[in-house]
Amino acid sequence: MAAELLKRAGLRFRWLCLGDNRAQRGLRAASGVSRVITVEDGWETDLPQADFRFPGPAPLLLYYDFVGLLVAEMSGSRYLVAGNEKSADFGNLTYRGVGVNHQYTKSHDFEAEFARYAREHLGSRVRFYSVLRPLYELQIAAVFGRLPQYHPHFVSCNVGQTGGRCEWCGRCGKCAFTFLALHPFLAERRLVEIFGRNLLDDAGLLPTFLAVAGLGGHKPFECVGIPDETLAAVFLSRRRSAASPVLRELRARVPAERLQGAARRVMENYERNTLIPEELRAPLETAWRALRRP
């Protein structure tokens, strides 16, 4: 979607790839933009995790952003563009009074801090922003459903990308949310081709769907949308899959007016508190309005 927005706004760009795999090559080909800068991977396996204050996985996006900034400086680029959406601004839970956001390094707050550091401490003139920041994931899914050239190639399941694989595991929170987010906008037959099966028919995944809907436990530690997006997707799927045990349970637990209200709030959103440079705001918003039209 980031590529389609930039193209529709008339903004030329080059892909930046850290490493290279089948999914990246497929997405580049589908975009029609062949210009690419590739940075060899492998260096990220030696991060100084022992120096971190708290144990846990390394914040890889922090390192990727710095690599992107270095590449932008070396290539004379004016902008460094990410594809992080508004959904990443919302946390998973509050622990001992502290908000925890699994996607913090994809959030507006982090990117603003990173951009300020690059400008004030590194003297960089490169403008860093996320072109999808005005949008929720569900809004992106609505347009993505009408871009079939990308459907055979996109993969964002973390489990399914381990060991060099490029597939959807069909069991995690990311798979559950992505399947449901696309459900109102893609034929179920096509979704089954992408994910391997109909995840909404799997009653065993109900606790995961309840979690992403904000109806059980905390938001999964996956890159998923906010609960309102899940509820909105259930509403937008109201004319489909009446027999699905997952949709049937979600509809039974949430009043129809709440589902409809979530759909209205999410699908009518356009966030303007972003890092998008002033000179690009109008063409990018116009491009989004054009893309969302049926």
Side-chain angles (χ1 to χ4, degrees):
M1 264 301 300
E4 292 301 311
L5 267 177
L6 293 170
K7 286 165 53 181
R8 182 62 67 100
L11 301 174
R12 286 173 53 84
F13 68 91
R14 289 172 287 186
W15 291 96
L16 172 61
C17 292
L18 303 182
D20 198 26
N21 59 38
R22 174 169 53 83
Q24 290 174 330
R25 293 190 294 272
L27 291 172
R28 291 200 304 267
S31 75
V33 177
S34 59
R35 299 179 299 275
V36 58
I37 299 175
T38 302
V39 177
E40 292 186 5
D41 57 3
W43 53 269
E44 69 270 30
T45 59
D46 297 318
L47 299 174
Q49 297 187 38
D51 294 339
F52 294 166
R53 182 177 179 183
F54 300 106
L60 284 179
L61 282 181
L62 168 65
Y63 296 89
Y64 292 167
D65 288 340
F66 274 115
V67 170
L69 184 66
L70 178 61
V71 171
E73 290 283 357
M74 294 176 67
S75 62
S77 299
R78 184 178 180 184
Y79 303 110
L80 173 62
V81 185
N84 300 322
E85 69 291 321
K86 180 178 174 65
S87 309
D89 291 339
F90 297 84
N92 302 75
L93 53 80
T94 299
Y95 180 74
R96 295 184 178 179
V98 177
V100 178
N101 184 358
H102 165 76
Q103 299 188 78
Y104 177 69
T105 50
K106 293 173 62 178
S107 71
H108 170 79
D109 287 347
F110 168 81
E111 290 182 350
E113 185 178 357
F114 177 85
R116 183 170 56 252
Y117 183 89
R119 182 178 63 253
E120 296 179 359
H121 296 275
L122 302 179
S124 176
R125 295 185 178 181
V126 173
R127 301 290 300 277
F128 177 50
Y129 70 94
S130 280
V131 69
L132 300 180
R133 182 67 64 198
L135 309 170
Y136 285 111
E137 286 195 45
L138 189 64
Q139 294 175 286
I140 296 166
V143 174
F144 186 76
R146 302 199 303 270
L147 300 172
Q149 68 269 32
Y150 291 101
H151 297 170
H153 307 293
F154 86 107
V155 177
S156 60
C157 168
N158 294 312
V159 176
Q161 295 187 80
T162 58
R165 295 177 296 154
C166 290
E167 60 190 29
W168 298 88
C169 76
R171 299 181 301 275
C172 68
K174 186 62 180 287
C175 285
F177 174 78
T178 306
F179 190 100
L180 182 52
L182 287 170
H183 187 259
F185 313 113
L186 275 180
E188 286 189 345
R189 171 186 53 79
R190 188 70 186 100
L191 282 171
V192 169
E193 290 174 356
I194 294 171
F195 288 87
R197 60 193 179 92
N198 190 332
L199 303 190
L200 295 175
D201 287 341
D202 187 348
L205 280 174
L206 181 58
T208 301
F209 280 104
L210 291 175
V212 296
L215 302 174
H218 60 76
K219 179 181 171 185
F221 285 97
E222 296 277 358
C223 297
V224 299
I226 66 173
D228 258 7
E229 292 179 76
T230 299
L231 300 182
V234 172
F235 176 78
L236 295 172
S237 294
R238 62 193 180 280
R239 295 186 178 91
R240 305 176 61 183
S241 300
S244 161
V246 170
L247 288 179
R248 187 168 59 244
E249 182 65 25
L250 288 170
R251 288 166 181 156
R253 292 191 182 215
V254 183
E257 57 270 21
R258 182 181 171 193
L259 297 177
Q260 185 174 16
R264 184 174 58 252
R265 287 190 296 274
V266 170
M267 300 308 288
E268 295 177 1
N269 161 77
Y270 192 84
E271 176 63 60
R272 290 183 170 80
N273 179 28
T274 73
L275 298 182
I276 295 176
E278 189 64 37
E279 66 272 18
L280 303 182
R281 289 179 179 244
L284 285 171
E285 184 170 355
T286 300
W288 166 245
R289 303 298 178 192
L291 281 171
R292 70 179 296 196
R293 285 197 295 266

